[in-house]
């Protein structure tokens, strides 16, 4: 979940013409042929637009990318992952969906690599995929993208997510969630992070790389950049704001259980009741009042 380094723009000018955009979307829709099942719901116009934008509005490249994503989704089945399967990954609050938005109304993901608690790259990736799906499901109307905050408090090379897991997350984000990441902020990464960065930097494409910002609390430009994207009253102090961030795994689990029901309904998946950490079924938990992550003014 380390998406780093700014690079050049990929815009060739064609994306600035709405009529050309609409025409490309119609062409891509026709090129994909007759879809069935969940692929129909996935490949709406907004989706086609994201894939075209990710491939600089090249129809053939966008079609290939989308076909690869449909194959991946058919195999990996990200929409069928449920919280009880990945909850152990979230016990320390190393990654979760925040209950505040950026200034543009985008849902925010928070990651804290210093709180890494497991050793399975596959489970690490599955946890992040679940959170991506969940975050997208909870985007506000009219929103297509998310913001990602990464807090390096407590980061060490011994406790950090593995290079294998980081590469897997980067690959999935770039290949199968194109144009979902609006901006990412790496807050106060220590010098030792550079060793980890060198191991993954070449797997980050220019389109992703240009959305990532290194933020240092003692740098005036960094502070101003954060202010331009976030209300300081809502932003947690670990990111330079004035709010207090706490993670309650039990309460977050209740919220995810509620969302799992919403996910199953959206994708028309027939879920069996799954038991959460307290022995209650997802349906039972969903009937209780869920309290999201607490972020209050200090």
């Amino acid at each position: 979940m380390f998406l780093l380094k700014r690079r050049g723009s990929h815009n060739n000018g064609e994306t600035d013409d709405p009529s050309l955009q609409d025409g490309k979307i119609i062409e891509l829709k026709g090129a994909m042929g007759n879809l069935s099942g969940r692929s129909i719901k996935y490949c709406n116009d907004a989706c086609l637009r994201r894939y075209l934008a990710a491939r600089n509005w090249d129809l053939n490249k966008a079609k290939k990318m989308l076909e690869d994503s449909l194959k991946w989704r058919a195999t990996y089945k990200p929409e069928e992952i449920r919280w009880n399967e990945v909850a152990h990954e979230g016990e320390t609050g190393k990654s979760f969906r925040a209950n505040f938005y950026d200034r543009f109304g985008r849902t925010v993901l928070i990651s804290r690599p210093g709180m890494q608690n497991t050793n399975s790259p596959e489970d690490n990736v599955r946890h992040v995929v679940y959170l991506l799906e969940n975050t997208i499901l909870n985007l506000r109307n009219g929103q297509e993208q998310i913001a990602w905050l990464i807090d390096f408090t407590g980061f060490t090379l011994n406790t950090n997510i593995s290079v294998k897991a980081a590469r897997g997350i980067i690959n999935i984000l770039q290949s199968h969630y194109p144009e979902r990441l609006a901006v990412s902020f790496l807050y106060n990464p220590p010098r030792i992070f550079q060793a980890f960065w060198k191991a993954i930097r070449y797997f980050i494409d220019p389109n992703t790389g240009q959305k990532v910002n290194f933020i240092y609390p003692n740098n005036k430009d960094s502070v101003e950049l954060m202010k331009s994207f976030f209300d300081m009253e809502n932003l947690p102090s670990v990111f330079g704001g004035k709010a207090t961030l706490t993670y309650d795994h039990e309460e977050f689990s209740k919220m995810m259980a509620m969302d799992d029901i919403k996910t199953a309904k959206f994708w028309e998946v027939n879920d069996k009741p799954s038991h959460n950490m307290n022995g209650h079924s997802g349906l039972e938990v969903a009937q209780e009042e869920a309290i999201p992550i607490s972020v209050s003014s200090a």
Side-chain angles (χ1 to χ4, degrees), residues 154-169:
F155 177 91
T156 69
L157 293 180
N158 291 328
T159 60
N160 176 52
I161 186 173
S162 71
V163 171
K164 181 179 179 180
R167 286 172 56 182
I169 292 167

Side-chain angles (χ1 to χ4, degrees), residues 2-4 7 51 54-55 65 69 132 167-181 200-209:
F2 304 99
L3 313 173
L4 312 169
R7 302 184 188 178
Y51 278 82
R55 287 297 177 261
M65 186 184 192
S69 286
L132 284 171
R167 286 172 56 182
I169 292 167
I170 290 168
N171 178 62
I172 286 175
L173 179 66
Q174 294 177 162
S175 301
H176 307 306
Y177 295 91
E179 299 301 311
R180 284 300 193 183
L181 180 68
I200 64 172
R201 61 185 298 179
Y202 298 105
F203 300 97
I204 302 170
D205 69 31
N207 189 29
T208 301

Side-chain angles (χ1 to χ4, degrees), residues 108-129:
V108 178
L109 267 181
I110 291 178
S111 291
R112 301 185 287 179
M115 294 190 171
Q116 176 64 22
N117 62 326
T118 61
N119 298 316
S120 168
E122 293 75 16
D123 286 354
N124 268 266
V125 173
R126 192 169 176 81
H127 178 229
V128 172
V129 168

Side-chain angles (χ1 to χ4, degrees), residues 68-270:
D68 289 344
S69 286
L70 292 179
K71 291 177 182 177
W72 174 78
R73 294 186 71 86
T75 303
Y76 201 89
K77 300 184 184 303
E79 73 279 4
E80 293 187 16
I81 303 173
R82 296 295 174 259
W83 177 247
N84 68 295
E85 301 171 34
V86 297
H88 63 285
E89 290 286 337
E91 289 178 353
T92 60
K94 66 184 178 187
S95 288
F96 57 89
R97 193 182 90 233
N99 71 338
F100 62 91
Y101 302 88
D102 70 5
R103 290 190 183 277
F104 303 92
R106 292 181 292 232
T107 304
V108 178
L109 267 181
I110 291 178
S111 291
R112 301 185 287 179
M115 294 190 171
Q116 176 64 22
N117 62 326
T118 61
N119 298 316
S120 168
E122 293 75 16
D123 286 354
N124 268 266
V125 173
R126 192 169 176 81
H127 178 229
V128 172
V129 168
Y130 172 87
L131 290 174
L132 284 171
E133 290 283 318
N134 177 266
T135 301
I136 291 168
L137 182 74
N138 283 281
L139 288 173
R140 287 175 164 179
N141 289 336
Q143 286 291 346
E144 290 287 322
Q145 296 184 307
I146 66 175
W148 204 327
L149 292 172
I150 301 174
D151 165 34
F152 281 87
T153 300
F155 177 91
T156 69
L157 293 180
N158 291 328
T159 60
N160 176 52
I161 186 173
S162 71
V163 171
K164 181 179 179 180
R167 286 172 56 182
I169 292 167
I170 290 168
N171 178 62
I172 286 175
L173 179 66
Q174 294 177 162
S175 301
H176 307 306
Y177 295 91
E179 299 301 311
R180 284 300 193 183
L181 180 68
V183 64
S184 181
F185 297 97
L186 282 73
Y187 197 82
N188 204 25
R191 289 185 178 180
I192 58 172
F193 175 73
Q194 294 304 317
F196 187 85
W197 161 235
K198 289 178 180 178
I200 64 172
R201 61 185 298 179
Y202 298 105
F203 300 97
I204 302 170
D205 69 31
N207 189 29
T208 301
Q210 68 180 346
K211 299 176 181 179
V212 178
N213 303 273
F214 289 89
I215 301 296
Y216 298 95
N218 296 325
N219 181 282
K220 182 179 179 180
D221 290 339
S222 288
V223 173
E224 291 303 313
L225 184 62
M226 291 297 283
K227 288 182 178 179
S228 71
F229 277 89
F230 298 95
D231 181 343
M232 292 296 104
E233 296 297 324
N234 295 330
L235 188 68
S237 58
V238 294
F239 297 106
K242 298 180 181 179
T244 300
L245 177 67
T246 58
Y247 177 79
D248 186 320
H249 186 61
E250 182 175 349
E251 296 301 334
F252 190 73
S253 294
K254 291 179 181 179
M255 186 168 68
M256 293 301 97
M258 292 178 67
D259 282 354
D260 282 352
I261 294 175
K262 183 164 59 174
T263 297
K265 183 177 180 180
F266 179 83
W267 291 109
E268 299 179 349
V269 178
N270 294 320

